[in-house]
Amino acid sequence: SALRSRYWGVVSAALAVGSIAAYELTPPLIDSRGWAAAFEVYGAAGVALALAWAAFGASAPAVPEGCREPKLLGDSVADGCELVDVDASGAAVEPPLPSLADAWASMADVPWRRIGAAKPVWALTAAHASNSFFVYFALAWLPSYFARTFGMTMADASAATLLPFAAGAVGSLAAGVVCDSLLVETLGLPLTRARKIMQSIACAGPAAAMLALATLGADAGAPAAEALFVFGLGSAAFSAAGFGCAAQDIATSYASLIYGASSAVSVVVAAGGQYLTGVLLERTDGDFVPFFALIVAVELAGLAAFCAWWSSEPEFE
């Protein structure tokens, strides 16, 4: 789709905006109502969003106005590249949800071996894991890094994390526009090459920022460290037009499964990284430099894997 990267850029930007909101809202919420209130408020918000999704989410886009005359329920008509059922008003009709038994039986039809052996799936998973390794560190440890390394109060340290995540939101939006509008539409680059360019920025940017911090250590100073994290998270957000929407390039029916599998691997890798961060900080008396060096290695490995194995040519239909 010509809008795929831009769409995923908007979704990824929303994630960064949510992180900013959490950093702003959580401290005063805990101060006024206690730590349990944060879990209660965010849990309730999650339930509300799930209900809204169930009520308003759709499996197919609305029929464009003027695209065709309304058809009776049960008639299938071409709408872009797919067939949809519509009612008398021309609105798309949701197909019935499959039963649990039907869903379980359909698992036997999934080409598990082909998916597991496909190099583009390896590329997507490696890039996803390397991106999460860095982003999870920023989400979990960035305020602690500023507080421990530069002696900031937790309030000031939390404030120092806002600009890097704002850069992540801007980077996500920019990545979608650059990939779809400039690289593919204007320059006419093949989608495979465009994806590799976007993911190269997403891996090389954080690697360069963390290499600078690993080299400078505490001598970098808080403003320079904040600027490097702005650059690191801003460039990492270009993965929105890299691996982020890449599963839909190679698959239609199995895009969600492939992305979900890569997410599972990336979460395990990123969670392991959080544990390793704590271990390294304990053994080095709070020195973040060894973990910055590890991030560099992980990002470069993800970059090499994606550039070597990725192809946007459809593999699974």
Side-chain angles (χ1 to χ4, degrees):
S1 170
L3 299 175
R4 183 172 294 156
S5 299
R6 272 170 277 194
Y7 164 78
W8 201 260
V10 172
V11 173
S12 299
L15 174 63
V17 171
S19 300
I20 294 170
Y23 279 123
E24 282 289 286
L25 298 176
T26 303
L29 182 62
I30 292 176
D31 288 341
S32 61
R33 308 193 124 201
W35 63 266
F39 291 88
E40 295 166 355
V41 170
Y42 297 143
V47 171
L49 287 173
L51 293 174
W53 177 261
F56 302 110
S59 299
V63 177
E65 185 176 355
C67 177
R68 51 181 164 71
E69 292 297 321
K71 301 292 182 178
L72 294 179
L73 178 63
D75 288 344
S76 292
V77 295
D79 179 25
C81 296
E82 62 181 335
L83 295 178
V84 298
D85 289 330
V86 296
D87 59 20
S89 68
V93 176
E94 291 288 330
L97 292 175
S99 67
L100 184 60
D102 292 336
W104 182 258
S106 69
M107 296 289 282
D109 298 327
V110 176
W112 297 106
R113 287 182 179 273
R114 283 183 57 212
I115 291 174
K119 287 186 177 180
V121 176
W122 300 355
L124 191 154
T125 303
H128 199 162
S130 65
N131 179 264
S132 295
F133 194 82
F134 171 62
V135 172
Y136 276 43
F137 166 79
L139 286 168
W141 290 95
L142 209 48
S144 297
Y145 163 71
F146 284 112
R148 293 188 183 194
T149 305
F150 304 111
M152 291 183 173
T153 65
M154 285 307 297
D156 289 340
S158 294
T161 66
L162 297 183
L163 198 55
F165 282 107
V170 173
S172 296
L173 295 173
V177 173
V178 168
C179 186
D180 286 342
S181 301
L182 178 62
L183 298 183
V184 177
E185 295 174 7
T186 302
L187 298 181
L189 293 184
L191 188 56
T192 295
R193 186 177 300 176
R195 292 272 182 258
K196 287 183 177 181
I197 291 173
M198 294 294 99
Q199 192 57 47
S200 295
I201 295 171
C203 289
M210 295 304 99
L211 180 61
L213 281 176
T215 302
L216 296 174
D219 293 337
E226 184 177 356
L228 286 169
F229 272 106
V230 166
F231 175 73
L233 284 169
S235 55
F238 273 68
S239 63
F243 81 82
C245 53
Q248 297 173 64
D249 295 346
I250 62 173
T252 51
S253 300
Y254 305 121
S256 297
L257 186 150
I258 291 171
Y259 187 83
S262 74
S263 295
V265 173
S266 72
V267 167
V268 171
V269 171
Q274 305 321 298
Y275 172 77
L276 187 57
T277 304
V279 171
L280 290 175
L281 289 175
E282 186 174 306
R283 293 184 178 181
T284 60
D285 195 26
D287 186 3
F288 282 85
V289 167
F291 195 76
F292 291 156
L294 183 58
I295 290 175
V296 173
V298 171
E299 290 284 13
L300 292 180
L303 171 60
F306 196 85
C307 288
W309 295 330
W310 179 252
S311 170
S312 289
E313 293 300 318
E315 290 242 356
F316 311 98
E317 296 298 335

